[in-house]
Amino acid sequence: MEMVDPARTALTDAFGRRISYLRISVTDRCDLRCRYCMAERMTFLPKDQVLTLEEIALIADLFIARGVRKIRLTGGEPLVRRDITDLVRRIGRHLGSGLDEVTLTTNGTRLVQHAQALAEAGVRRINVSLDSRDPERFAHVTRGGDIRAVLDGLDAAREAGLAVKINMVALKGINEDEILPMLHWCDAQGFDLTLIETMPLGETGEDRTDHYLPLTDVADGIGRHHPLTPTGYRTGGPSRYHAVEGLGVRLGLITPLTNNFCADCNRMRMTCEGKIFMCLGHEDHVDLKTAFREGGPEAVEPLIDRALRLKPAAHDFRIGADAPAAAVRRHMSVTGG
Ligand code: SAM
Ligand code: SF4
């Protein structure tokens, strides 16, 4: 039997970073229209340009064989894709034999229907985005979302035994006064909380500079109530976790603008069209779909190696008066958050 040399097949980029985490955007569609993420009138990809769930599963198999140990399904909203739990189940079969974790990031509106099936498919933790707990503000930020669906979804996740981390984009003038209450609420609910700086991805019809809130300032503010201590806890993503004095909640900070985290980036992303982006902040990509449809899995292998060579040292996001409104034209919902 031919021996496989792990050093040859492993995914290592030109800067020596080992790539072990794949995020897959399973759809660019969404049932919400968050102001910092999408334009109000988005046009979505025609269905025939989107990979089938079977194609996604086969490509995921290839990446797992090359050393990917963690897969996150995202979007758009992953739970609006029909039969999504079949894909999770399919990927979940690798758990314990190559894959350490399959997880997803969701806006939570459809968790009531899906939480139990996700848990049964092997999902242990999920990220749920929630920028405000105030029903009117939530409807404002999401341009029409109903917070009840998300809160019910969170209950369903808890009943299904899923650990939850809340993702909250910190938005000046919109939810900055809710950050400390959100931390207390997450603590009481047994959830972790990650705060995210708004990133300049895609036109949204709004000026992100108006609402940009540096998390260095936010952390200082929280620290006056609850001193923060950096911990070594990591979940494989860009979040840097802090212990919060007096509370059990872990506070994660995702700070692409105030504190670049690229040096130990272990991630790559696949869009629902099969494009591999090695960096959220760059346009360079490799298209797997045509190769896969014409030549099958063998045709994809060399493209994975080409993608690795495209991974830049760092993103170059800037925000402010002298920066472009969008560093890249793609929305976060296309590349997958
Ligand atoms: N629809 C799902 C959700 O909202 O969780 C998954 C996709 S969404 C693109 C993933 C994460 O990206 C969410 O936590 C969202 O708040 C965040 N996000 C979207 N656009 C962003 C932006 N421009 N800057 C920072 N975070 C963004
Ligand atoms: Fe949809 Fe998530 Fe983007 Fe909000 S952040 S519009 S829920 S994809």
Side-chain angles (χ1 to χ4, degrees):
M1 194 174 91
E2 195 199 344
M3 293 293 287
V4 177
D5 173 4
R8 183 168 60 82
T9 59
L11 301 170
T12 305
D13 76 358
F15 302 92
R17 291 171 297 194
R18 186 74 171 259
I19 310 302
S20 56
Y21 182 177
L22 175 65
R23 296 192 180 196
I24 304 176
S25 175
V26 295
T27 176
D28 60 337
R29 290 166 196 258
C30 188
D31 52 348
L32 302 180
R33 292 288 182 280
C34 301
R35 288 170 185 274
Y36 52 78
C37 177
M38 289 193 183
E40 190 156 19
R41 289 177 208 289
M42 287 289 284
T43 40
F44 296 110
L45 288 166
K47 295 240 161 58
D48 62 343
Q49 284 187 29
V50 173
L51 294 176
T52 64
L53 293 183
E54 179 60 13
E55 287 172 326
I56 294 176
L58 290 169
I59 293 174
D61 290 348
L62 287 177
F63 278 102
I64 294 166
R66 293 289 303 269
V68 161
R69 305 199 66 93
K70 172 168 173 170
I71 292 185
R72 176 177 298 281
L73 303 181
T74 175
E77 173 46 43
L79 297 182
V80 302
R81 179 109 195 222
R82 193 197 301 259
D83 299 328
I84 184 67
T85 44
D86 292 346
L87 176 65
V88 182
R89 218 171 288 121
R90 174 81 157 67
I91 294 175
R93 283 193 218 142
H94 292 280
L95 287 166
S97 52
L99 190 68
D100 296 333
E101 182 169 36
V102 57
T103 180
L104 87 171
T105 300
T106 171
N107 63 27
T109 59
R110 301 191 181 198
L111 275 173
V112 167
Q113 297 94 304
H114 294 298
Q116 190 59 41
L118 291 173
E120 284 164 12
V123 175
R124 294 288 165 261
R125 302 184 305 129
I126 55 172
N127 291 352
V128 181
S129 302
L130 183 62
D131 299 320
S132 172
R133 286 177 46 241
D134 176 82
E136 274 176 32
R137 273 194 199 176
F138 181 83
H140 170 77
V141 174
T142 56
R143 298 196 185 95
D146 174 7
I147 197 167
R148 198 65 256 163
V150 182
L151 297 178
D152 290 348
L154 287 167
D155 288 341
R158 194 198 326 264
E159 276 163 34
L162 298 171
V164 171
K165 178 168 74 81
I166 299 291
N167 277 352
M168 178 183 193
V169 178
L171 298 163
K172 185 164 77 183
I174 296 187
N175 65 4
E176 57 186 311
D177 59 334
E178 276 193 74
I179 293 175
L180 195 57
M182 185 72 93
L183 188 69
H184 290 150
W185 180 75
C186 285
D187 183 60
Q189 301 292 317
F191 302 153
D192 285 335
L193 173 66
T194 285
L195 301 175
I196 307 175
E197 283 176 342
T198 174
M199 297 173 226
L201 299 172
E203 298 286 349
T204 59
E206 313 234 339
D207 186 352
R208 289 192 182 88
T209 316
D210 289 349
H211 300 298
Y212 169 59
L213 193 55
L215 287 185
T216 37
D217 296 354
V218 173
D220 288 348
I222 295 173
R224 282 195 280 280
H225 300 266
H226 301 281
L228 301 177
T229 311
T231 68
Y233 177 74
R234 298 292 302 270
T235 54
S239 207
R240 297 292 177 270
Y241 287 92
H242 299 258
V244 184
E245 196 171 296
L247 302 178
V249 59
R250 274 187 288 245
L251 175 67
L253 301 176
I254 299 188
T255 55
L257 291 131
T258 53
N259 186 7
N260 183 295
F261 45 59
C262 303
D264 56 357
C265 182
N266 60 351
R267 293 174 290 288
M268 65 189 148
R269 295 175 155 85
M270 182 167 81
T271 71
C272 61
E273 276 187 291
K275 291 181 178 161
I276 298 288
F277 284 89
M278 299 303 293
C279 177
L280 203 51
H282 282 250
E283 304 278 9
D284 293 342
H285 63 274
V286 162
D287 182 359
L288 300 188
K289 183 177 65 188
T290 314
F292 186 80
R293 287 186 176 170
E294 287 172 4
E298 302 82 67
V300 168
E301 283 283 349
L303 294 182
I304 296 178
D305 291 305
R306 190 186 303 166
L308 274 177
R309 292 195 290 275
L310 288 182
K311 192 162 175 71
H315 70 68
D316 39 27
F317 290 145
R318 284 180 304 127
I319 210 159
D322 62 334
V328 294
R329 290 197 352 263
R330 288 184 327 276
H331 293 85
M332 181 78 114
S333 52
V334 170
T335 333

